[in-house]
Amino acid sequence: MANNIAAQRIQREFKEVIKSDEVAKCAIRVELVNDNYTELKGEIAGPPDTPYEGGNFVLEIKVPETYPFNPPKVRFITKIWHPNISSVTGAICLDILRDQWAAAMTLRTVLLSLQALMAAAEPDDPQDAVVAKQYKDDQEMFRLTAKHWTAKYAGGPGGNPDFEMKIRRLTDMGVEEDQARVALSSYNWDLERATEQLFS
Amino acid sequence: MVIASEAGPSKSGREKEGSPEEKDDRTFECNICLDTAKDAVVSMCGHLFCWPCLHQWLDTRPTRQVCPVCKAAISEDKVIPLYGRGSTKQEDPRNKVPPRPPGQRTEPENNGGFPGFGFGDGGFHMSFGIGAFPFGFVTSSFNFGDHHHQRPAHGAGRGMALLDEDPFVSKIFLWVAAIFIMWLFYA
């Protein structure tokens, strides 16, 4: 019976998102993954004036049977460099997806909240400690790294020849590209330290 | 795109609730199931829900009882049911839910001239008739235990003045009154 409410509500919310202004502005989008409304694919445009601008971020949204009394399970499928999102798994640290969830929230408000999170990170409540540390210690390095990730994974503009070159140096040594990128990003693009970490 | 309605404009017509032509009127949608509210209740912060939906929400998080819309404090006994016309008997399939809390009716304020007129039933009325000034204290203090709406302060105040004047005399009056009342009961 709870499943019934969940499916019925997602159906309504789905329509709400499709009709919303944000869709018209291409800021958010949802797509059905299966017919019974238990899994959806979300998309968020990287907010302007952030390193994520111009990128398109794909999310996995799983709707529990107890929805809307419990929050949907959301994670980033697109890799992203952000203090509150795991650079490895895409897991999100956001209070409304945990204990601060309220039954009146919808797919639309969740996606908009995530977009807001992308624009305003909370480094003091991190999901990815390495990213959070970089965010706090070296804002510019963080910005460049996040922008590089956006270009690489989310179809954002601009490359970074220096970063690309360093990644190539590692892949030439037989390291997998994503792994090389994570290591370099974690060590502020210090090739020596990244290499050391990868081969230790 | 409205996240369903500040319940403010509800004055504009409660009869609309539940009528099928008004499907587009999203003002009366439950904030949880997003359907037209069944067994509607409204929280103190003004947000509309189906009673089964709200009950399930409060049940899911017993330690954190907040409004699903605005996160104001909320509790089951502080919600107000909405009784629209012709929307009372809607059987809900999810009806393993305790009944919706009833509305709280307060009797309109009864501003009678003298408090004594308020409770003219049986023997009390009679004792009022006889107990002119000195008995005022006794009659009103006797009536004190009565459940009816009254203003005991008035009578008590008079009694206090009496006691101040002469405790002995008032004591005698008290006894006389007691005996008188006993007589009333037994007669």
Side-chain angles (χ1 to χ4, degrees):
Chain A
M1 68 173 192
N3 198 12
N4 223 349
I5 307 183
Q8 205 179 30
R9 226 191 88 145
I10 291 293
Q11 226 166 328
R12 283 167 192 275
E13 287 185 33
F14 189 68
K15 283 179 198 147
E16 179 194 65
V17 176
I18 287 175
K19 280 189 282 183
S20 69
D21 296 349
E22 291 84 21
V23 165
K25 285 182 269 172
C26 303
I28 60 169
R29 216 151 75 90
V30 282
E31 250 171 58
L32 288 172
V33 171
N34 59 15
D35 287 338
N36 46 7
Y37 293 94
T38 54
E39 199 175 330
L40 298 101
K41 197 176 98 174
E43 276 179 42
I44 309 176
D49 304 319
T50 68
Y52 312 108
E53 183 171 7
N56 187 45
F57 297 84
V58 180
L59 299 149
E60 174 192 85
I61 305 171
K62 287 188 169 162
V63 182
E65 263 187 37
T66 50
Y67 185 82
F69 301 101
N70 286 303
K73 294 182 172 61
V74 187
R75 73 177 189 94
F76 275 81
I77 291 176
T78 305
K79 285 183 171 293
I80 179 170
W81 191 252
H82 185 285
N84 304 105
I85 301 158
S86 166
S87 57
V88 182
T89 63
I92 303 164
C93 177
L94 181 62
D95 57 358
I96 62 154
L97 292 176
R98 296 175 185 196
D99 57 319
Q100 292 297 310
W101 170 254
M105 290 173 180
T106 62
L107 293 176
R108 183 182 150 264
T109 58
V110 165
L111 292 179
L112 292 177
S113 299
L114 286 172
Q115 202 179 32
L117 180 71
M118 288 165 84
E122 288 280 353
D124 293 324
D125 186 19
Q127 174 76 36
D128 196 311
V130 176
V131 185
K133 189 170 181 305
Q134 187 185 67
Y135 182 93
K136 281 170 134 177
D137 295 349
D138 191 343
Q139 276 274 340
E140 183 55 19
M141 181 58 76
F142 165 79
R143 206 186 59 77
L144 288 173
T145 309
K147 200 164 159 50
H148 171 73
W149 280 55
T150 305
K152 206 67 213 169
Y153 296 115
N160 191 318
D162 179 39
F163 290 177
E164 291 294 346
M165 187 267 289
K166 284 174 175 166
I167 290 170
R168 218 168 308 122
R169 291 276 289 276
L170 284 173
T171 50
D172 287 347
M173 287 188 257
V175 180
E176 207 230 314
E177 189 188 319
D178 285 348
Q179 217 181 341
R181 185 170 290 108
V182 171
L184 284 162
S185 300
S186 304
Y187 288 101
N188 295 346
W189 299 90
D190 182 328
L191 188 57
E192 243 169 72
R193 285 175 64 204
T195 317
E196 205 175 285
Q197 189 256 327
L198 282 166
F199 291 99
S200 64
Chain B
M1 62 164 286
V2 190
I3 311 177
S5 67
E6 306 314 305
S10 52
K11 283 173 212 145
S12 63
R14 221 159 255 180
E15 286 97 312
K16 279 181 190 171
E17 189 183 83
S19 82
E21 310 90 79
E22 294 294 332
K23 269 285 182 219
D24 283 341
D25 190 351
R26 307 187 54 192
T27 311
F28 299 104
E29 274 179 9
C30 164
N31 281 291
I32 294 178
C33 67
L34 311 184
D35 206 343
T36 304
K38 299 178 189 77
D39 287 342
V41 291
V42 67
S43 62
M44 295 305 272
C45 44
H47 295 112
L48 181 71
F49 307 98
C50 303
W51 168 242
C53 291
L54 183 66
H55 180 265
Q56 196 175 342
W57 167 249
L58 295 175
D59 228 31
T60 314
R61 282 143 203 258
T63 51
R64 201 173 148 263
Q65 307 262 290
V66 295
C67 170
V69 181
C70 70
K71 295 187 175 171
I74 194 172
S75 87
E76 253 175 51
D77 44 314
K78 275 198 185 144
V79 297
I80 298 155
L82 288 185
Y83 302 130
R85 234 170 75 81
S87 66
T88 38
K89 261 287 161 245
Q90 269 177 318
E91 264 305 310
D92 197 293
R94 297 160 285 181
N95 53 12
K96 276 179 195 152
V97 173
R100 175 161 61 149
Q104 282 159 28
R105 269 201 100 249
T106 319
E107 289 297 329
E109 194 72 22
N110 188 357
N111 271 332
F114 192 74
F117 290 121
F119 39 86
D121 33 52
F124 299 108
H125 197 92
M126 215 165 120
S127 71
F128 164 74
I130 301 165
F133 170 63
F135 293 104
F137 167 62
V138 180
T139 44
S140 36
S141 62
F142 187 77
N143 291 327
F144 196 80
D146 202 1
H147 296 299
H148 286 258
H149 170 79
Q150 58 175 313
R151 284 179 255 159
H154 182 57
R158 247 191 316 164
M160 290 310 286
L162 201 74
L163 281 171
D164 287 346
E165 267 174 48
D166 192 341
F168 177 71
V169 174
S170 71
K171 231 175 206 168
I172 288 185
F173 275 134
L174 219 121
W175 277 108
V176 171
I179 291 164
F180 178 70
I181 286 162
M182 294 290 267
W183 173 76
L184 268 179
F185 270 107
Y186 285 109

